[in-house]
Amino acid sequence: MTFIGNKSDLRVVGTRPVRPDGVDKVTGRAVFGADAIMSGQITGKVLRSPHAHARIVSIDASKALKLAGVKAVITAADLPNIASEEAFVGEGPMNFRDLSLNCMARGKALYEGHAVAAVAAMTDAIADAALALIDVKYEVLPHVIDVEEAMAPGAPILHDDLFTAGETPKPTKPSNVAKKVRFTIGDVEAGFKAADVIIERRYTTAPVHQAYIEPHACVAAWAADGQCTVISSSQGHFMIRSYCAKLLGIEISNIRVVPAEIGGGFGGKTLVYLEPLALALSKKAGRPVKMVMTREDVFRATGPTSGAAIEMKVGATKDGKITAAQAVMKYQAGAFPGSPINPGLMCAFAMYDLANVDVLGYDVVSNRPKVAAYRAPGAPMASFAAESTIDDLALKLGMDPIELRMKNAAKQGSKTAYGVTHGVIGYEEVLQAAKAHPHWSAPLGKNQGRGFATGFWFNIGGESTGAVFVNEDGTVNVVSGSPDIGGSRASMVMMAAEVLGIDVEKCRAVIPDTSSVGFTNVTGGSRVTYATGMAVTQAAQAVVEDLKKRAAMIWDISPEAVEWKDGEAVPAGANAGGFDPLPLAAIAMKSAKTGGPIGSEVSVNAQGAGPGFGAHICDIEVDPETGHATILRYTAVQDVGRAIHPGYVEGQIQGGAAQGIGWALNEEYIYNKKGLMDNAGFLDYRIPVASDLPMIEAVMVEVPNTRHPFGVRGVGEVPIVPPMAAVGNAIRGAIGIRMEHLPMSPPRIRAAIDGAKMPKAAE
Amino acid sequence: MPSLNYVAPTTVADAVKILAGASGPTRVMSGGTDLLVQLRTGRLKPELIIDTKKIPGIIGITQNADGGFTIGAATSGALLGEHTALGAAYPGVVEAANLIGSTQVQGRASLAGNLCNASPAADSVPAVIAAGGTVTIAGPNGTRTAAVESIVTGPGKTSLAKGEFITAFHLPPIKGRTGDAYLRFIPRTEMDIAVVGCGVSVTLDASGTITAAKISLGAVAPTQVLVDPACIIGSKLDDAALARLDAAAQAMCKPIDDKRGTIEFRTKVAGVLARRTAAIAVARAGGR
């Protein structure tokens, strides 16, 4: 059963009902990580390294343990010393050993904020006092923060056992370069020879944090019989379960993880920091342990996304056909390997139908917190470089930026550098919608500029479980294993209601613990509405088939002679008999007589997630005397496949654009000479506030994904990809200067205008 | 275990007595919008907090018989913003105080707290200095009056002696054609700390010529600094006067490079803001 072709027949999909979790969230009743309580819980706190890079000579916790009210102290010695093993549990690759070492330093502290010990105590104050009593002797080592300095010969080496992968012959000396990776199609040298115009530039971007409003928080209990319970706020309670099991050596059936509501994640809650420590403390203390990070902890110890240094070269003929595109990208991984360099390389030029592409990437460790996924991991920085360069190309060719992109647009059948051939995609439709939008042709004033940029994200599917259970009064429980971050409860009940032909208010969305629903991957990669939605849709379809059989049984006719229409079983035609329709509630009431409870649980490993494309138009006014850039107008066009709940799709587009604007203008980590972060708080790590942004107009283009019953494409990540280049291109229009460094903060813009040397933040 | 005591005396005399008698680290609290944040981050570890808000008169605004204003030390930004006469006489002071923090913070944040926190970047301080503000200080030896610019002596440091605290601010009566203004530069549009702040007050004669002026800059030196008004006095703030003001303001800057701005940027923007703020003040005084 597919619904793609006939949008007008849809009753629920495409409407805007109130979200199921809305009242709880606006009234404060929703239980987030820090709200969760277990009977008898005590407080856990982490002692963090004050150094960017240091050998841990000794840890003496004896004084802390003597303090009244202290129930346990743990260090790495209390955690299993696990072997190196690659994992795909969260979003992106992860090594279990690295994650264990990231949760608790063993032998060396690799960044300021790296956990070195943890305490459990009766109160917050006692826990704080205990932390101060733990005596850690450090041997401070030389540190390296910048990605290119970390690659340079003679740089302080973080890991003696890290050898660059992807080099032949295999290196014999350890390096901070964890991996070298290259995607190539065609022959770029020949392509550049055929070019009439070549643009070559070098860009740098600062690491930026996801800046979710809710700090990490959990409460965990390790019972005397080995049964473990965790309540935590995350992007995947099954992910929490997998990591805790592996890091602590627990059988999975002995861990139950209960999902708390989540106050934002954006990729940053697809790995663990506190949960294994809370469990280990609980085991030692014999009490449930609650742990809540401060905002400063979040900045110093949890993963932002990579900063990057990118060299880019693009060539084209006089008439605007791009003949070659080349890039070298160096991504910061933080203290352990695993930057999103691969998706960066994949996404840079995926909007274009190019014969010759060569992209080379480096995954580089340095003394910063280990990076975590952040909304379209890796793509925004690559796209900033690519779309800035394409904009300069349009300028040099004297072509309209949208025309230049139209001329080179990827379409069905276009082969990407990373090997995938595009299926049905909506990039050309997005470009057309942008060009037709009144924003594109609106007049501009003095000191104002307009920027245009596009972006790509491949989206993913993966493992999900959805279930639909019919209650005896005809209402329905829609169950899934995906934590609701962006309104997925609404999307799930809407798809189920659509299939069942009932009102969405009759469906209740439930996200149970890991022992009560089948395995489901993290909420990430823009996969939930696609993959979990597919599982829920299939479960609802199975329920409809069952309902038809039940009706056939009641009517004593063949199941083939029953149709399901608008929430009722009806005879398929005159020949089937003259029965009155049987509504869902009537069938549900008699379920005991027709075979028992009605319900279906479906697990899928969804393939065929349709990629998404976005195009953003940004108007900016620059104050030439202060360098302050004001966003005047912002329009974000995106192919959304099909919007299940258009309001939440618009919300995703607006939120992604807002985060991208922050990334473009002011967000950065500022390190001092000691390698310590100077701005670990929202006062000086400047995300946009409401008054910084105009209303962001979201324009949805619908080119349905043929692989999903409703045509869904992931929508959450694409909108953060174009903003940095859109903003940079607008600033270039306003001041006539290409800004090559992010963030494009007022001091940098003023310095660029003055033609002065670019100031480098306090490093 | 560390302990923290809190007292809320109901008279100035009691407050002075407790303050003068305290042996450990002690903080006087008005709105607490800086103090509580510093407690939370562990930057301050006082053993005693003396809350002044229960002292009668410490919250409130009075217009004196001479037309000047007395503002209780703990009066919130929100109350300043709602006072029509104060807003008409000293729009620069009110807009500076109202730039501090969020709407919620405005319900508590006070002039005394902003001054005694002694941050070079405090928003209300340059504006109150430019307006010719003074403070009444209570202490073990009775009360004294001081100019606002004499209070801050360095980041986090004030000239208040042991046992002293501020009970009230005074703004003089408006004489003739006088206007004031405050501008700050922040990378965002609100919820931020001044990278540069500038308060200006000017008095014009009948022809629109500036006869008196006071110009104060914030966040460009360890304390607020005064710019010599000679650069604009006698002018109608024409382009040449603006250029002199820009240069004079830049010359007074001794900023630092930090997470909020570079020396070069702060210095240039100080000149820009001085020009822009003075232009608003002159316009408010009825000139240009």
Side-chain angles (χ1 to χ4, degrees):
Chain A
M1 189 166 16
T2 175
F3 304 87
I4 291 174
N6 42 351
K7 188 179 177 185
S8 58
D9 293 346
L10 297 172
R11 307 163 60 249
V12 181
V13 166
T15 64
R16 298 171 183 244
V18 170
R19 62 194 293 165
D21 50 326
V23 172
D24 271 4
K25 283 180 179 164
V26 299
T27 58
R29 201 180 66 149
V31 175
F32 291 88
D35 302 321
I37 292 168
M38 284 188 193
S39 179
Q41 73 186 26
I42 59 175
T43 295
K45 292 208 179 203
V46 175
L47 184 66
R48 301 186 179 280
S49 168
H51 306 295
H53 194 192
R55 195 171 308 286
I56 300 168
V57 178
S58 64
I59 304 176
D60 179 0
S62 56
K63 282 186 194 150
L65 284 164
K66 280 182 198 140
L67 185 67
V70 172
K71 297 296 177 187
V73 176
I74 58 164
T75 67
D78 296 284
L79 303 173
N81 191 356
I82 63 176
S84 176
E85 181 185 345
E86 287 303 321
F88 283 88
V89 173
E91 191 174 3
M94 179 71 76
N95 184 296
F96 283 124
R97 179 173 169 77
D98 289 346
L99 188 59
S100 172
L101 294 175
N102 194 46
C103 286
M104 189 62 86
R106 190 181 288 274
K108 263 202 338 180
L110 295 165
Y111 53 93
E112 183 208 13
H114 199 169
V116 295
V119 302
M122 295 306 290
T123 68
D124 277 2
I126 296 171
D128 282 330
L131 291 182
L133 290 172
I134 299 175
D135 183 18
V136 184
K137 292 219 164 18
Y138 294 100
E139 176 196 342
V140 177
L141 301 170
H143 66 271
V144 61
I145 298 290
D146 178 73
V147 60
E148 289 183 311
E149 286 170 19
M151 296 174 77
I157 294 292
L158 272 73
H159 304 280
D160 292 336
D161 58 350
L162 184 64
F163 299 90
T164 307
E167 287 273 31
T168 41
K170 195 173 180 290
T172 52
K173 276 170 63 180
S175 167
N176 290 328
V177 180
K179 183 172 78 171
K180 191 175 160 185
V181 56
R182 183 169 219 146
F183 296 124
T184 303
I185 185 170
D187 178 352
V188 284
E189 289 314 316
F192 284 121
K193 273 191 197 127
D196 298 313
V197 171
I198 290 175
I199 303 284
E200 208 170 349
R201 284 198 178 275
R202 186 188 136 76
Y203 305 88
T204 56
T205 77
V208 291
H209 199 272
Q210 302 83 351
Y212 28 83
I213 296 303
E214 181 199 25
H216 299 257
C218 70
V219 53
W222 188 312
D225 62 355
Q227 298 278 310
C228 296
T229 309
V230 179
I231 309 175
S232 86
S233 160
S234 80
Q235 288 177 244
H237 37 316
F238 288 91
M239 172 274 299
I240 300 284
R241 187 181 72 168
S242 305
Y243 280 140
C244 288
K246 200 76 186 183
L247 268 52
L248 297 170
I250 307 169
E251 281 191 349
I252 284 180
S253 63
N254 281 342
I255 307 184
R256 190 169 67 93
V257 183
V258 182
E261 290 300 333
I262 173 167
F266 311 107
K269 291 178 184 166
T270 56
L271 70 173
V272 291
Y273 298 99
L274 298 178
E275 289 84 355
L277 306 184
L279 278 172
L281 284 169
S282 174
K283 186 183 185 185
K284 248 186 155 173
R287 302 273 291 263
V289 174
K290 171 88 169 272
M291 300 184 84
V292 181
M293 282 196 192
T294 63
R295 178 60 57 187
E296 201 179 317
D297 289 340
V298 171
F299 274 113
R300 294 198 200 282
T302 74
T305 192
S306 309
I310 300 176
E311 288 149 35
M312 196 152 273
K313 186 176 171 187
V314 178
T317 58
K318 269 184 281 197
D319 60 350
K321 186 69 200 157
I322 297 173
T323 55
Q326 192 171 31
V328 178
M329 307 192 196
K330 300 155 187 168
Y331 276 26
Q332 294 162 355
F336 297 94
S339 75
I341 184 66
N342 283 44
L345 297 172
M346 290 158 72
C347 292
F349 299 115
M351 296 83 83
Y352 303 110
D353 184 33
L354 303 180
N356 306 303
V357 177
D358 175 33
V359 284
L360 170 64
Y362 297 89
D363 180 29
V364 185
V365 299
S366 65
N367 296 110
R368 295 170 174 267
K370 172 177 171 46
V371 300
Y374 180 17
R375 214 166 187 161
M381 359 357 180
S383 218
F384 165 63
E387 291 292 280
S388 298
T389 309
I390 298 282
D391 198 59
D392 281 350
L393 187 63
L395 198 72
K396 198 156 180 180
L397 290 166
M399 273 182 89
D400 174 270
I402 299 185
E403 281 306 311
L404 175 62
R405 287 171 172 90
M406 287 273 201
K407 195 156 187 126
N408 296 283
K411 44 186 87 65
Q412 187 173 7
S414 294
K415 192 161 193 271
T416 61
Y418 59 96
V420 166
T421 300
H422 285 308
V424 177
I425 56 171
Y427 186 54
E428 289 181 305
E429 288 82 348
V430 164
L431 290 174
Q432 281 155 6
K435 185 148 179 115
H437 195 282
H439 185 172
W440 185 240
S441 50
L444 285 169
K446 196 184 168 207
N447 295 326
Q448 295 178 357
R450 176 165 297 140
F452 180 82
T454 65
F456 163 84
W457 182 250
F458 40 83
N459 294 322
I460 62 168
E463 295 161 280
S464 278
T465 301
V468 172
F469 300 107
V470 178
N471 301 316
E472 52 270 39
D473 62 354
T475 60
V476 171
N477 289 340
V478 177
V479 180
S480 85
S482 295
D484 179 359
I485 299 187
S488 63
R489 281 185 183 90
S491 302
M492 296 307 134
V493 293
M494 288 174 74
M495 287 186 265
E498 186 71 60
V499 173
L500 294 167
I502 59 175
D503 289 343
V504 71
E505 291 77 18
K506 297 286 181 198
C507 299
R508 172 64 47 199
V510 183
I511 304 161
D513 65 66
T514 50
S515 300
S516 309
V517 64
F519 180 85
T520 301
N521 271 334
V522 289
T523 296
S526 299
R527 61 174 290 280
V528 169
T529 311
Y530 179 72
T532 309
M534 189 181 281
V536 165
T537 302
Q538 289 180 10
Q541 288 167 340
V543 165
V544 166
E545 287 311 303
D546 191 18
L547 288 165
K548 284 156 68 178
K549 277 185 205 145
R550 308 284 183 126
M553 208 180 291
I554 292 166
W555 287 334
D556 197 18
I557 62 174
S558 156
E560 287 75 46
V562 180
E563 276 185 3
W564 191 258
K565 225 179 148 190
D566 295 337
E568 296 179 328
V570 293
N575 291 344
F579 303 104
D580 287 338
L582 267 176
L584 175 61
I587 301 170
M589 202 167 64
K590 292 181 182 164
S591 65
K593 292 177 182 162
T594 56
I598 302 166
S600 169
E601 178 163 327
V602 173
S603 293
V604 299
N605 187 358
Q607 306 298 314
F613 292 86
H616 292 196
I617 309 169
C618 173
D619 289 359
I620 275 183
E621 181 169 324
V622 175
D623 179 340
E625 289 194 313
T626 64
H628 194 278
T630 304
I631 311 275
L632 302 171
R633 186 174 180 181
Y634 202 98
T635 304
V637 185
Q638 188 173 318
D639 172 19
V640 303
R642 174 152 294 156
I644 302 299
H645 191 304
Y648 303 145
V649 173
E650 288 163 356
Q652 289 287 336
I653 294 173
Q654 290 161 336
Q659 287 185 311
I661 290 167
W663 196 330
L665 289 180
N666 280 308
E667 292 182 39
E668 63 182 321
Y669 278 53
I670 300 170
Y671 282 91
N672 64 25
K673 287 195 175 75
K674 291 178 176 169
L676 313 179
M677 189 182 177
D678 264 349
N679 60 333
F682 278 140
L683 190 55
D684 289 301
Y685 180 90
R686 292 186 176 78
I687 63 171
V689 296
S691 57
D692 291 339
L693 300 172
M695 186 62 192
I696 292 163
E697 186 183 344
V699 178
M700 294 180 287
V701 173
E702 293 194 324
V703 179
N705 175 10
T706 52
R707 304 281 297 272
H708 185 276
F710 292 108
V712 164
R713 292 178 193 275
V715 298
E717 287 169 294
V718 182
I720 201 172
V721 183
M724 286 78 88
V727 169
N729 294 344
I731 290 172
R732 204 219 60 79
I735 66 172
I737 301 167
R738 165 67 54 199
M739 301 297 292
E740 294 177 322
H741 182 87
L742 294 184
M744 297 174 278
S745 58
R748 290 204 177 92
I749 292 179
R750 170 77 204 240
I753 290 172
D754 292 347
K757 187 171 150 277
M758 286 285 188
K760 244 188 145 187
E763 287 183 38
Chain B
M1 294 294 296
S3 68
L4 173 60
N5 288 312
Y6 166 91
V7 289
T10 54
T11 66
V12 170
D14 282 353
V16 166
K17 204 171 144 191
I18 297 166
L19 188 54
S23 54
T26 303
R27 300 300 284 197
V28 176
M29 180 165 93
S30 303
T33 57
D34 278 314
L35 179 58
L36 265 62
V37 174
Q38 290 162 3
L39 280 182
R40 236 186 123 90
T41 60
R43 222 172 92 197
L44 279 182
K45 292 190 171 93
E47 288 171 11
L48 176 64
I49 287 176
I50 303 171
D51 186 350
T52 61
K53 289 194 295 297
K54 298 284 193 297
I55 299 171
I58 203 130
I59 294 173
I61 302 160
T62 313
Q63 185 158 19
N64 307 320
D66 64 1
F69 293 87
T70 298
I71 302 167
T75 306
S76 70
L79 287 175
L80 297 177
E82 287 165 7
H83 199 282
T84 315
L86 181 67
Y90 288 103
V93 170
V94 174
E95 66 200 7
N98 286 170
L99 280 173
I100 300 166
S102 61
T103 302
Q104 293 91 327
V105 166
Q106 278 294 308
R108 286 281 180 184
S110 67
L111 293 182
N114 202 217
L115 180 60
C116 295
N117 186 51
S119 161
D123 281 310
S124 70
V125 179
V128 177
I129 290 173
T134 57
V135 288
T136 299
I137 299 162
N141 303 321
T143 61
R144 65 182 176 100
T145 303
V148 169
E149 53 265 44
S150 71
I151 302 299
V152 180
T153 55
K157 293 194 175 72
T158 70
S159 57
L160 296 181
K162 165 94 176 159
E164 287 189 328
F165 74 102
I166 293 172
T167 57
F169 283 69
H170 310 281
L171 295 174
I174 295 289
K175 289 194 194 93
R177 300 173 68 188
T178 294
D180 77 332
Y182 175 79
L183 289 178
R184 69 173 181 186
F185 180 82
I186 55 171
R188 286 189 286 214
T189 48
E190 61 179 6
M191 303 295 293
D192 219 329
I193 304 285
V195 175
V196 179
C198 181
V200 176
S201 172
V202 295
T203 302
L204 313 180
D205 66 13
S207 73
T209 300
I210 299 170
T211 57
K214 205 165 178 188
I215 303 151
S216 175
L217 292 168
V220 293
T223 66
Q224 287 72 26
V225 295
L226 286 167
V227 178
D228 185 347
C231 58
I232 57 169
I233 286 176
S235 81
K236 292 183 177 175
L237 206 65
D238 51 22
D239 287 349
L242 285 169
R244 287 195 301 273
L245 174 59
D246 190 319
Q250 293 202 42
M252 288 308 295
C253 294
K254 291 183 191 65
I256 53 168
D257 273 330
D258 74 355
K259 58 197 174 187
R260 296 190 183 133
T262 58
I263 291 170
E264 186 191 1
F265 181 71
R266 280 192 155 116
T267 306
K268 285 178 181 170
V269 171
V272 173
L273 287 198
R275 279 191 275 116
R276 293 180 181 180
T277 315
I280 297 168
V282 166
R284 284 178 176 166
R288 296 269 281 187

